Amino acid sequence: MTSFIAQVKTPGDTDWVGNGLRFGTKGQAESYIKDLAWRWTAVQETRVAPSDDEPTHIFINGETRRLP
């Protein structure tokens, strides 16, 4: 199953950095990373990339929840 990872770059980063969360839909990952970038002011760039990992979380109504 494909999932999606949200990643950021901050000042000085040369590589994309993620936190291990995997979302089942691209839309959830995009919403999550927009929310994170709004709260974390050091973010300079964001992206959502596909992952071969199983989904681990959902992001709905501004809340991140771990999947069982």
Side-chain angles (χ1 to χ4, degrees):
M1 173 180 243
T2 299
S3 63
F4 297 88
I5 182 171
Q7 299 176 314
V8 300
K9 281 189 180 180
T10 59
D13 286 339
T14 56
D15 295 323
W16 290 98
V17 179
N19 59 6
L21 300 168
R22 302 294 187 271
F23 298 93
T25 69
K26 186 175 182 181
Q28 285 181 16
E30 288 171 341
S31 293
Y32 169 79
I33 201 65
K34 285 178 187 175
D35 180 68
L36 178 70
W38 182 81
R39 291 182 286 112
W40 194 20
T41 58
V43 172
Q44 290 188 322
E45 293 182 71
T46 65
R47 77 173 183 182
V48 170
S51 170
D52 291 331
D53 299 332
E54 292 289 320
T56 61
H57 289 76
I58 60 172
F59 186 79
I60 297 177
N61 298 326
E63 231 180 272
T64 307
R65 294 187 185 164
R66 184 162 183 74
L67 292 172

